[in-house]
Amino acid sequence: MLGAPQLEATFSRENALRWLLAAGCFALLIFFFSPPWALYALWARVPEMGVLLEVRRAATVLYQIDHLGGQVPDPLHSAIQWRILFPMIGRGLHLPHPLLFGLAHFGCVAVLAFIVTVLRRNACSWSASGALAVTLGATSWFFTSAGWLGYFDSWLVLGLLVAAFGKSRWSLWAACIWAPWVDERFVAAAPLALICRYLYFQRAGRSIDVKREFGIAVALVVGFVAVRLGLVAGRSAETATISGYLNTFVDGSASWSRVVFGAWSGLRIAWALLVAAVVLVGRANRSHAVLLAAAVLVVAAVGLFTAQDLSRSMMLLMPVALLGAISAVNWRPQLLSAAAVLALLLPAHHVMSNRVNPIFYLYHELGAFDRPPPEAMPELLELRAVQAMEQGDFTAAAESLSLAIKLARNPAYPSRQRGILFASQQQWAAARDDFSVAVKNAPREPDGWFLRAQAALALGDVAAADADLTQALAVAPAKWQERADVTRFRARLRQQ
């Protein structure tokens, strides 16, 4: 049953409460499935950490802003070459980077608000609407949109939901215009959304001019495909989205257990709502249920076998899950609450063909500010540099030490190590610069001053060498000056 007209006024109390409930659901989901805030901050401070999965696509999106439609240099993300809606928005409005990436999070709130709106139109209570919104929100589209920078999956899901449940035909047509430029997989999922739209409005007792309404929607989607083919035509084959996607599907042969786990992790508890949609449709019309189930299987297969991120691909089924939620509005409140609690408490994962990443609570991610991942630990980078030096790969050693210097809270030790590396290659000016960083950040360490004194002497600056040695002796313990290398250096210095 569609809601009363008075509930639909744009600035009504009802609509304000819907958005407030959506914001509350968003906050709850963010607590249980937190973005990796520490990695965001790390990438902002050290751009070289843009290789991390959680921020790697964001670096590509920033490249797109300056090279709209250009071939993406990162082969892992070549598939997004023509997903240009948000790069265009960022470029046209000159949005600061945090605001641009924050649009994905706002999209999450918008999706939740739309879910609540549809449920409320169908006589769902506030508590049931909140529980169902949480259940539908604790799925892959939210995890990637909120947790991986540069992923705007929330807007693709919003486009699919609007296409399936938007009140006016104009909202359907608008979604068919803008949503494919968020993610071209809208084209693959659009038929499923149209099936859900037909079943939804049939249930609501509203007739649809299928020939006109769906015909124009299909024409718009076909038009997008034609434009895309036209854009790709004349360019190298590597720029085509599908080939790019398949080329980055690691080894192309994920195990069946991984595929099944990825499918489960995509919708989790919301799978129950999807199954409910098919079952309840079948009670009214078996042929419709068969059509719906077949469309679900086809879209799920397309998602799973054309993408490396298996769980994320299940977001294409969200219209069916919401159709099931509408059918569940009369279920026992305790059952809906239990489903929401399970959705929040069950372990969540990003499942890819070649790896599985767990998703953590907010307090865990806040603690990561003090516990960086192994890729960002300066100590491990220093060990890697030592190993590279032992193998004679001085370029790799210098790169590892340069990154360690940027990541370290106190860069004294990695700077000293890189200075020694430069000194071994007779690059005394660069070595002296690194030793200067070491003494600045660890002025009570005599070895830093001693090393800088040696670099100064090698550069012919005897006065500076003498001053640094004097400082080293001032901060050193009594027996430090008895070291053989110190004794030899003092003798050389006296001869100058």
Side-chain angles (χ1 to χ4, degrees):
M1 180 181 74
L2 296 180
Q6 62 266 26
L7 297 182
E8 299 302 323
T10 303
F11 300 105
S12 67
R13 179 176 180 274
E14 170 76 16
N15 273 347
L17 291 175
R18 291 172 184 175
W19 280 95
L20 285 174
L21 178 58
C25 292
F26 174 79
L28 189 64
L29 290 166
I30 283 290
F31 177 83
F32 283 91
F33 312 107
S34 174
W37 305 109
L39 294 184
Y40 295 172
L42 182 65
W43 177 52
R45 183 168 61 90
V46 184
E48 291 87 343
M49 299 313 296
V51 297
L52 294 175
L53 175 67
E54 293 81 357
V55 298
R56 185 167 175 174
R57 176 163 291 189
T60 299
V61 172
L62 296 183
Y63 176 87
Q64 284 183 292
I65 291 176
D66 296 323
H67 307 83
L68 286 175
Q71 188 168 349
V72 172
D74 185 349
L76 184 63
H77 295 298
S78 60
I80 73 169
Q81 178 179 347
W82 294 107
R83 299 178 191 176
I84 57 174
L85 179 61
F86 286 96
M88 286 179 62
I89 292 173
R91 179 172 180 168
L93 299 180
H94 304 288
L95 294 180
H97 298 165
L99 185 56
L100 172 64
F101 295 126
L103 291 176
H105 298 79
F106 177 75
C108 291
V109 180
V111 170
L112 294 170
F114 188 81
I115 290 172
V116 171
T117 295
V118 172
L119 293 172
R120 289 289 293 164
R121 287 175 184 169
N122 288 271
C124 192
S125 67
W126 286 110
S127 59
S129 297
L132 288 166
V134 167
T135 303
L136 293 169
T139 55
S140 59
W141 69 269
F142 183 91
F143 302 154
T144 50
S145 300
W148 291 354
L149 284 185
Y151 285 76
F152 297 96
D153 293 350
S154 55
W155 291 93
L156 170 61
V157 170
L158 182 62
L160 290 171
L161 295 183
V162 168
F165 304 101
K167 287 186 65 178
S168 73
R169 65 187 65 175
W170 292 101
S171 61
L172 164 64
W173 297 338
C176 291
I177 293 173
W178 63 263
W181 297 104
V182 177
D183 191 322
E184 69 287 335
R185 285 180 294 178
F186 178 89
V187 174
L192 180 60
L194 292 179
I195 293 172
C196 290
R197 184 177 186 84
Y198 176 80
L199 296 173
Y200 171 62
F201 284 110
Q202 183 188 57
R203 175 182 181 273
R206 170 183 155 181
S207 62
I208 295 179
D209 184 350
V210 174
K211 189 173 182 180
R212 183 187 180 198
E213 189 168 326
F214 286 16
I216 292 177
V218 170
L220 289 170
V221 171
V222 171
F224 164 79
V225 174
V227 171
R228 277 292 309 277
L229 291 176
L231 290 171
V232 172
R235 297 173 181 262
S236 62
E238 292 83 11
T239 65
T241 295
I242 294 299
S243 66
Y245 226 94
L246 295 178
N247 287 337
T248 59
F249 187 49
V250 176
D251 76 27
S253 58
S255 66
W256 279 106
S257 59
R258 176 66 59 82
V259 172
V260 171
F261 183 50
W264 155 256
S265 298
L267 290 181
R268 304 168 75 242
I269 298 299
W271 276 110
L273 298 175
L274 184 145
V275 172
V278 176
V279 171
L280 293 174
V281 167
R283 290 180 180 177
N285 189 309
R286 183 171 298 180
S287 61
H288 287 170
V290 171
L291 175 63
L292 180 62
V296 166
L297 291 176
V298 170
V299 172
V302 169
L304 287 170
F305 296 107
T306 61
Q308 180 182 351
D309 34 11
L310 303 174
S311 58
R312 175 174 168 248
S313 64
M314 293 298 96
M315 65 181 170
L316 303 179
L317 305 179
M318 277 296 292
V320 188
L322 180 52
L323 186 65
I326 295 168
S327 303
V329 295
N330 294 320
W331 290 3
R332 290 178 178 269
Q334 297 88 337
L335 182 60
L336 298 180
S337 298
V341 170
L342 282 174
L344 292 173
L345 296 181
L346 286 178
H349 304 84
H350 296 288
V351 181
M352 292 155 278
S353 62
N354 62 331
R355 63 189 290 183
V356 176
N357 277 22
I359 301 168
F360 297 106
Y361 287 42
L362 177 63
Y363 57 80
H364 179 280
E365 295 298 346
L366 293 179
F369 280 96
D370 298 317
R371 299 187 304 275
E375 301 93 330
M377 293 180 65
E379 298 83 2
L380 293 182
L381 288 166
E382 291 170 32
L383 290 175
R384 188 183 303 166
V386 171
Q387 183 180 29
M389 281 189 281
E390 292 174 349
Q391 297 172 350
D393 191 347
F394 298 116
T395 300
E399 290 176 353
S400 294
L401 287 171
S402 297
L403 188 53
I405 290 169
K406 291 184 176 182
L407 291 170
R409 291 185 175 181
N410 187 335
Y413 188 74
S415 294
R416 197 165 70 188
Q417 284 289 92
R418 192 175 68 173
I420 293 172
L421 173 62
F422 287 146
S424 70
Q425 299 175 289
Q426 304 298 307
Q427 299 179 36
W428 291 108
R432 184 178 185 179
D433 290 341
D434 278 343
F435 295 145
S436 295
V437 173
V439 299
K440 177 181 179 181
N441 289 276
R444 303 299 299 175
E445 290 287 337
D447 286 336
W449 295 103
F450 180 51
L451 288 167
R452 194 170 77 164
Q454 294 178 72
L457 185 59
L459 291 168
D461 192 343
V462 178
D466 184 65
D468 284 342
L469 179 61
T470 300
Q471 184 63 34
L473 294 171
V475 299
K479 292 187 177 182
W480 182 84
Q481 59 183 306
E482 299 175 7
R483 281 174 25 182
D485 57 338
V486 176
T487 301
R488 287 194 299 270
F489 182 76
R490 294 180 71 180
R492 282 182 55 203
L493 194 59
R494 291 193 196 98
Q495 296 173 1
Q496 299 300 316

